[in-house]
Structure formats: C-alpha cells, structure tokens
C-alpha cells in the first residue's frame, strides 16, 4: 500500500500527517482553523487519499505558519508515499464548479516543483481562515511534493465557493495523476522523473 507518516516539530508548529493513497479518502483533520479543516477534508475525500492531519500551531500569532507548514508536511508525505513515481498517470486536470464559482487545476507529478496561482478573493477572511493563505498552502504543497501545479479560480463571487472549488479541482486532478499505470513503467521520455 502506498502510504507515509511524517512528523515535523518547530517552534511555530507541531504537525503529524499520515496519507494512504489507496484507502478511499477518509479524513481526520484538526488544524485549529475550521475553514482550513473543511478544505483539507474536501482535498482528502475528493482525491481519494486518506489523510490524518493533526496540527498544533501558533494561532495566537495568526494562521500563516499553521497553513504553510501543513502544506509542507502534506507535500512531503505525498512525495514519500509515491516513491519514485513510476507506474502512475503523472498528469491530472479538472474543472470544478461550485454554484456561481468555477475553478480549474492542471498538475504534473514531475519532480519539477512550480506553482501558478490565479485568482483573488473579495474578503480578507473566510471564517477564521486568512484567504490569502490559499496560495501559500498550494505553493508549500506543490514544492514539497515535487509537483508542477496550476490553479485558476476562473470566476465567482462567494469566497467560500471560490476557495472550495479550487481545493476540489486540485483533489480531482491529483486523483487522476496518482492512478496506477502499467506497473514498473514511468511516463517520461527520459525513463525517470
């Protein structure tokens, strides 16, 4: 089974993450930020990746360290669970609507980390979640997973809907990219990623 467990403790955060790529997407998420928990739960359920994420962060400062460090550890766990990334589809893309909002994601599990994030929020906060941390999360996640990640919040008026559509688009693209290919084959003209 493709899985990984990582722990990372700093002066700002204490994070434990377990991912199971072939376990039907059960989520046990606790970060101390309700809306972020909701987004990570959506990422887990819609990607089919089971995620147990337990975070204690310096929320008395703000949510930045909690959100970014969770992206770091989750990305590292995904990378570890995928091993050398042989035998996977590698690429994934998805358009996801949520009411008036539409988001698009395209990704490549290429070992060449990059993020292109397009979109903006009307309000600074969604509940206790700082909306600008969405890009910070995806950057940390992509760079630590070794993923080229393009996220485009195409349009929408409700910040909750726009953000959730983006997380679900990433989830569905990721679900496609981690699907098994012919065992032992690497989808690359180089033969390795």
């Amino acid at each position: 089974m493709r899985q990984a467990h990582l722990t990372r403790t700093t002066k700002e955060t204490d994070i434990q993450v377990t991912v199971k790529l072939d376990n039907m997407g059960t989520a046990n998420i606790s970060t101390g930020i309700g809306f972020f928990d909701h987004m990570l739960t959506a990422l887990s359920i819609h990607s089919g990746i089971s995620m147990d994420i337990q975070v204690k962060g310096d929320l008395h400062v703000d949510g930045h360290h909690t959100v970014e460090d969770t992206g770091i550890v989750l990305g590292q766990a995904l990378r570890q669970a995928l091993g050398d990334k042989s035998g996977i589809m590698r690429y994934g893309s998805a358009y996801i609507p949520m009411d008036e909002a539409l988001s698009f994601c395209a990704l490549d599990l290429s070992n060449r980390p990059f993020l292109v994030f397009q979109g903006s929020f009307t309000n600074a906060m969604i509940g206790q979640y700082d909306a600008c941390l969405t890009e910070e999360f995806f950057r940390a996640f992509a760079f630590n997973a070794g993923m080229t990640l393009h996220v485009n919040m195409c349009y929408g008026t409700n910040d909750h809907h726009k953000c959730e559509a983006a997380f679900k688009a990433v989830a569905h693209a990721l679900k496609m990219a981690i699907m098994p290919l012919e065992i032992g084959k690497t989808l690359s003209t180089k033969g390795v990623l």
Side-chain angles (χ1 to χ4, degrees):
M1 179 179 275
R2 301 177 297 169
Q3 60 185 13
H5 175 78
L6 291 177
T7 299
R8 181 178 189 261
T9 302
T10 71
K11 292 180 180 178
E12 298 167 341
T13 57
D14 184 5
I15 301 175
Q16 293 188 31
V17 171
T18 300
V19 296
K20 296 179 181 177
L21 305 190
D22 306 301
N23 205 35
M24 300 305 291
T26 57
N28 181 27
I29 314 289
S30 178
T31 67
I33 306 171
F35 184 77
F36 188 43
D37 291 354
H38 181 45
M39 293 302 95
L40 293 174
T41 298
L43 184 65
S44 173
I45 299 301
H46 285 265
S47 68
I49 299 172
S50 289
M51 298 180 187
D52 188 318
I53 301 173
Q54 304 301 311
V55 183
K56 293 178 183 171
D58 57 357
L59 295 178
H60 62 282
V61 175
D62 68 8
H64 191 286
H65 301 138
T66 295
V67 173
E68 182 178 37
D69 289 6
T70 299
I72 289 169
V73 182
L74 184 58
Q76 291 171 347
L78 177 63
R79 187 176 201 147
Q80 183 177 319
L82 286 169
D84 67 0
K85 298 181 182 169
S86 63
I88 61 169
M89 291 291 293
R90 176 181 165 182
Y91 295 99
S93 63
Y95 277 100
I96 296 294
M98 186 163 186
D99 298 344
E100 86 299 342
L102 181 70
S103 287
F104 172 73
C105 172
L107 62 83
D108 177 10
L109 294 169
S110 61
N111 287 331
R112 293 190 308 276
F114 201 85
L115 174 69
V116 175
F117 182 88
Q118 295 181 331
S120 61
F121 295 100
T122 304
N123 300 294
M125 304 296 288
I126 306 170
Q128 297 302 307
Y129 174 78
D130 188 340
C132 73
L133 295 180
T134 305
E135 183 173 359
E136 297 302 321
F137 170 79
F138 284 131
R139 180 178 293 107
F141 181 52
F143 274 70
N144 284 276
M147 176 192 312
T148 298
L149 178 61
H150 292 248
V151 178
N152 186 356
M153 296 189 312
C154 305
Y155 50 79
T157 56
N158 181 292
D159 287 337
H160 184 133
H161 295 165
K162 291 191 293 185
C163 192
E164 189 165 346
F167 270 83
K168 287 178 177 177
V170 172
H172 281 271
L174 191 55
K175 183 176 188 174
M176 186 183 304
I178 66 170
M179 284 179 56
L181 196 59
E182 208 177 319
I183 293 177
K185 300 289 183 185
T186 300
L187 190 57
S188 170
T189 55
K190 300 178 187 71
V192 296
L193 293 176

